[in-house]
Amino acid sequence: MGIKQVADRIVNGVLLKPLGLKLGYRIGGDPVEDIARLMSERPVEVIADGGAYMGTFSQAMAGAFPLAAIHAFEPTPASHELLATNTAVLSRVHRHRLALGGQKGIATFYSNAPPLTNSLRRSSDIGHLYFSDLVAGETEVQVEVVTLEDFARERGITSFDVVKLDLQGNERDALLGMGDLLGHTQAALIEVQFVPLYEGAPLFSDIEALLREKGLVLYQLYELVRSPNDGRLLYGDALFMCPDVLTRSTSRPKA
């Protein structure tokens, strides 16, 4: 047994076990599994999937919460068609060829060869530095932008229980576009940047501060990506939860 394994046993067995804690080195896991577990005793009626792309998150949420209405937003024609194909058999998934933002209107959308990097924001100099091949050949299209507040009002939606935003730097605008609805959200899975990969993109600290102000706290980080060249942490996903959900989950008797 190596030194690290011995140290782990001492820390876990002597220091942390009496507290019901365990030392772990793996960052994140599966955010869908975490949301499903934490929300297992809560009613989940409406879910928003912003930047749905091919519908992976919407499909997973449909499996975890079969009674929930899922609104998937994807503005580009090719990606929206892929989303429609992959979720065609899921009657609770409602697809919208719309972008999410802080105000309603028509905006320029910047498309790249890999659609995962498409955004309402241009790639920044840092974005070009770390992802030169992915953001080369950027083209522009016009898309319709809505706020979740307006969208909900027009459809009689009173809250989004779970919100996922993967908007390549436009997440803060979309969160602000929720208005008072943000304060009623119980779980928010947000792609966050640790360096501004898009022009004017918010950093993790900006997203965390906004959600903390609205009453949500950081639960876990997932899929952290760092540069293979200099090791710099670039982006990842962050799950924020309503504190009451976490309190109930922590106090729940263990099997």
Side-chain angles (χ1 to χ4, degrees), residues 85-96:
T85 299
N86 291 340
T87 60
V89 299
L90 302 174
S91 62
R92 304 290 289 177
V93 176
H94 308 281
R95 299 164 292 275
H96 310 282

Side-chain angles (χ1 to χ4, degrees), residues 36-110:
R37 173 174 50 81
L38 293 168
M39 302 287 289
S40 63
E41 297 184 3
R42 292 263 178 152
V44 176
E45 299 178 351
V46 185
I47 298 170
D49 181 1
Y53 184 37
M54 65 173 62
T56 302
F57 183 78
S58 289
Q59 290 173 297
M61 286 287 101
F65 303 103
L67 299 181
I70 302 168
H71 293 278
F73 301 85
E74 178 54 53
T76 57
S79 295
H80 188 272
E81 183 177 347
L82 187 60
L83 167 67
T85 299
N86 291 340
T87 60
V89 299
L90 302 174
S91 62
R92 304 290 289 177
V93 176
H94 308 281
R95 299 164 292 275
H96 310 282
R97 196 172 140 185
L98 301 166
L100 295 180
Q103 59 184 9
K104 187 176 182 179
I106 302 298
T108 300
F109 195 78
Y110 302 96

Side-chain angles (χ1 to χ4, degrees), residues 182-196:
L182 183 54
H184 300 287
T185 295
Q186 300 182 68
L189 179 64
I190 312 296
E191 184 177 69
V192 294
Q193 298 180 25
F194 299 94
V195 297

Side-chain angles (χ1 to χ4, degrees), residues 24-202:
Y25 297 95
R26 181 183 178 189
I27 299 298
D30 186 334
V32 172
E33 290 181 359
D34 284 346
I35 293 171
R37 173 174 50 81
L38 293 168
M39 302 287 289
S40 63
E41 297 184 3
R42 292 263 178 152
V44 176
E45 299 178 351
V46 185
I47 298 170
D49 181 1
Y53 184 37
M54 65 173 62
T56 302
F57 183 78
S58 289
Q59 290 173 297
M61 286 287 101
F65 303 103
L67 299 181
I70 302 168
H71 293 278
F73 301 85
E74 178 54 53
T76 57
S79 295
H80 188 272
E81 183 177 347
L82 187 60
L83 167 67
T85 299
N86 291 340
T87 60
V89 299
L90 302 174
S91 62
R92 304 290 289 177
V93 176
H94 308 281
R95 299 164 292 275
H96 310 282
R97 196 172 140 185
L98 301 166
L100 295 180
Q103 59 184 9
K104 187 176 182 179
I106 302 298
T108 300
F109 195 78
Y110 302 96
S111 299
N112 302 298
L116 285 172
T117 61
N118 293 348
S119 177
L120 284 169
R121 298 175 181 270
R122 286 186 182 275
S123 299
S124 67
D125 291 340
I126 292 179
H128 281 278
L129 174 66
Y130 285 109
F131 300 102
S132 58
D133 293 338
L134 297 181
V135 298
E138 191 175 67
T139 60
E140 300 178 9
V141 296
Q142 298 299 300
V143 299
E144 184 179 355
V145 182
V146 297
T147 70
L148 281 174
E149 183 178 38
D150 288 339
F151 178 88
R153 184 186 303 113
E154 292 169 1
R155 289 162 177 77
I157 297 172
T158 58
S159 66
F160 292 101
D161 301 300
V162 178
V163 172
K164 169 257 184 181
L165 297 177
D166 184 352
L167 305 178
Q168 306 303 303
N170 212 50
E171 291 81 8
R172 188 174 186 273
D173 280 2
L175 288 169
L176 290 172
M178 292 183 67
D180 293 338
L181 292 173
L182 183 54
H184 300 287
T185 295
Q186 300 182 68
L189 179 64
I190 312 296
E191 184 177 69
V192 294
Q193 298 180 25
F194 299 94
V195 297
L197 300 174
Y198 296 86
E199 293 181 357

